């Protein structure tokens, strides 16, 4: 669901054509897979190389970590060629575990971990308290102003450009093909965009 919503956002309120294509590829890869494979994809979407609960990283970040490791950009010149040769063998899995265990002992966390730290919990609680002060607890209540405007002063939701004052309308208007997204010359519905990407970019032959 997050990838699907991100696909619409990347085409409307922000100009991210590459990110829109990545989200579309991820959706196609999942939705076109067999149901049994979809279960596997959901259960293996993230992993912790040290087996720590709450410290998983998404597999795309893991692949980036492996690419960074194999490039050897942070190694000394003397050991770079030997270590890079090892990284291209079947020893890569063991090397990843050893490297992560060493980083964990030295720094308390690894570059591939995404732990929920105490400071993150404190910041989340501060945001929660701020939202409660401004909006209350009733999520169905309707407001005529936006108390979170970047100037710090509430602005009316019914005046000004709807693309900035009411971005949720902009998202779905772009998805329906009624308006052009940010940085785009013409409007195109989400389905027309997806079909064009499929036939012109994914499978050109």
């Amino acid at each position: 669901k997050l990838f699907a919503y991100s696909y619409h956002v990347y085409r409307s309120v922000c100009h991210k054509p590459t990110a829109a294509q990545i989200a579309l590829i991820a959706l196609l890869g999942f939705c076109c897979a067999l149901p049994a494979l979809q279960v596997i994809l959901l259960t293996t979407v993230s992993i912790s190389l040290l087996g720590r609960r709450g410290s998983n990283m998404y597999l795309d970040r893991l692949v980036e970590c492996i690419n960074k490791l194999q490039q050897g950009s942070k190694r000394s010149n003397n050991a770079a060629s030997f270590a890079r040769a090892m990284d291209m063998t079947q020893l890569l899995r063991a090397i990843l575990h050893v490297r992560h265990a060493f980083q964990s002992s030295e720094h308390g966390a690894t570059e591939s971990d995404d732990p929920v730290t105490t400071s993150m919990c404190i910041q989340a609680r501060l945001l929660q308290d701020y939202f409660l002060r401004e909006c209350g607890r009733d999520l169905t209540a309707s407001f005529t102003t936006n108390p979170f405007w970047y100037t710090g002063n509430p602005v009316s939701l019914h005046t000004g450009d709807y693309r900035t004052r009411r971005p949720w309308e902009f998202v779905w208007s772009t998805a329906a093909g009624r308006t052009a997204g940010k940085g785009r010359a013409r409007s195109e519905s989400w389905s027309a965009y997806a079909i064009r990407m499929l036939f012109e970019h994914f499978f050109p032959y």
Side-chain angles (χ1 to χ4, degrees):
K1 292 181 179 180
L2 183 59
F3 265 117
Y5 184 69
S6 299
Y7 165 72
H8 293 304
V9 170
Y10 293 148
R11 295 185 58 247
S12 55
V13 297
C14 55
H15 183 62
K16 292 183 176 293
T18 302
Q21 293 183 25
I22 292 174
L24 184 58
I25 291 172
L27 288 169
L28 288 171
F30 178 78
C31 295
C32 295
L34 295 174
L37 292 179
Q38 291 182 359
V39 176
I40 297 176
L41 290 173
L42 286 176
T43 56
T44 59
V45 70
S46 63
I47 189 175
S48 173
L49 293 178
L50 299 180
R52 293 178 173 177
R53 179 177 296 179
S55 296
N56 282 17
M57 72 174 302
Y58 287 107
L59 290 182
D60 58 340
R61 286 191 57 193
L62 176 60
V63 173
E64 292 177 2
C65 181
I66 293 175
N67 291 337
K68 179 181 176 182
L69 177 67
Q70 292 178 336
Q71 290 171 3
S73 57
K74 292 189 176 181
R75 297 197 182 106
S76 64
N77 293 330
N78 296 330
S81 58
F82 175 73
R84 190 178 299 115
M86 292 183 62
D87 292 339
M88 300 299 176
T89 68
Q90 295 182 354
L91 297 173
L92 177 61
R93 180 177 179 181
I95 292 173
L96 282 172
H97 180 80
V98 172
R99 177 179 291 270
H100 279 68
F102 177 76
Q103 289 180 346
S104 177
S105 64
E106 288 288 311
H107 307 293
T110 69
E111 61 180 328
S112 62
D113 283 342
D114 288 326
V116 178
T117 62
T118 302
S119 61
M120 294 169 60
C121 293
I122 294 174
Q123 292 296 325
R125 177 52 61 90
L126 290 175
L127 284 174
Q128 179 188 29
D129 294 341
Y130 176 66
F131 292 152
L132 286 174
R133 288 196 306 269
E134 296 294 334
C135 300
R137 295 181 179 275
D138 186 3
L139 298 180
T140 63
S142 178
F143 294 89
T144 59
T145 60
N146 178 9
F148 308 113
W149 195 246
Y150 69 95
T151 60
N153 299 318
V155 296
S156 174
L157 292 174
H158 303 292
T159 59
D161 190 350
Y162 77 97
R163 292 176 295 182
T164 55
R165 297 292 175 89
R166 300 183 302 280
W168 56 90
E169 294 183 6
F170 187 25
V171 170
W172 300 121
S173 178
T174 303
R178 293 192 297 270
T179 56
K182 182 178 180 180
R184 299 184 181 276
R186 61 186 180 89
S187 60
E188 189 176 25
S189 67
W190 72 269
S191 56
Y193 176 87
I195 294 173
R196 182 170 61 84
M197 287 294 105
L198 280 173
F199 288 96
E200 295 183 7
H201 295 277
F202 296 164
F203 309 109
Y205 305 107

